[in-house]
Amino acid sequence: MEEQKWRTETEENGGAGEPLHKDLISTVNADMPEEEMLYDLAELFRIFADSTRIKILYVLFEAEMCVGDIAELLKTSPSAVSHQLRVLKQSKLVKFRREGKTIFYSLADDHVRTIIDMGMEHLCE
């Protein structure tokens, strides 16, 4: 279907293959973020592509927790949780604070909850 539409637009344009809506293309192009920003956005969404990381974020919705407690809750190893928390921390999705020898993790800010809430809302439509 798409291929036929393209042929029709090309034929309307004298077969030159030039864009029909130059003003629209110009407007969209002007609003397009820089390539580096688009790359960073894609990387951010890549972080959400792991169900273990999503589970950890859901745990941290409820309370700040240490690695051992998160591991117990998710029935996984502390080293696996620690690895995923490192990825989440590098992506600025979680933060930590130290209390003695224990490190407690929490969501970095409300944006993290908003992103996941919007994803869930989209799935439930």
Side-chain angles (χ1 to χ4, degrees), residues 55-113:
K55 288 176 189 175
I56 291 170
L57 292 172
Y58 264 102
V59 166
L60 298 177
F61 277 7
E62 299 304 320
E64 73 174 6
M65 294 184 119
C66 66
V67 170
D69 290 345
I70 296 170
E72 176 68 26
L73 191 64
L74 299 182
K75 306 289 186 237
T76 191
S77 71
S79 64
V81 169
S82 190
H83 170 74
Q84 298 302 342
L85 282 167
R86 186 171 40 257
V87 171
L88 292 166
K89 190 171 65 170
Q90 288 171 343
S91 298
K92 300 177 184 165
L93 297 173
V94 300
K95 61 185 179 181
F96 68 95
R97 70 174 181 84
R98 184 179 299 273
E99 191 174 292
K101 292 184 177 184
T102 306
I103 298 175
F104 290 93
Y105 292 88
S106 60
L107 296 180
D109 57 40
D110 288 336
H111 293 116
V112 180
R113 182 184 296 267

Side-chain angles (χ1 to χ4, degrees), residues 3-98:
E3 189 172 274
Q4 182 60 43
K5 180 179 177 187
W6 181 82
R7 275 194 218 124
T8 304
E9 289 177 354
T10 303
E11 290 164 6
E12 288 174 16
N13 219 10
E18 294 178 18
L20 288 176
H21 308 96
K22 289 181 182 178
D23 291 343
L24 178 60
I25 290 171
S26 239
T27 301
V28 171
N29 222 4
D31 292 338
M32 185 72 72
E34 296 289 324
E35 192 67 33
E36 185 176 343
M37 185 65 76
L38 292 171
Y39 177 82
D40 291 345
L41 182 60
E43 283 298 304
L44 174 65
F45 280 109
R46 185 184 63 78
I47 300 303
F48 288 99
D50 182 279
S51 62
T52 300
R53 289 194 285 262
I54 295 292
K55 288 176 189 175
I56 291 170
L57 292 172
Y58 264 102
V59 166
L60 298 177
F61 277 7
E62 299 304 320
E64 73 174 6
M65 294 184 119
C66 66
V67 170
D69 290 345
I70 296 170
E72 176 68 26
L73 191 64
L74 299 182
K75 306 289 186 237
T76 191
S77 71
S79 64
V81 169
S82 190
H83 170 74
Q84 298 302 342
L85 282 167
R86 186 171 40 257
V87 171
L88 292 166
K89 190 171 65 170
Q90 288 171 343
S91 298
K92 300 177 184 165
L93 297 173
V94 300
K95 61 185 179 181
F96 68 95
R97 70 174 181 84
R98 184 179 299 273

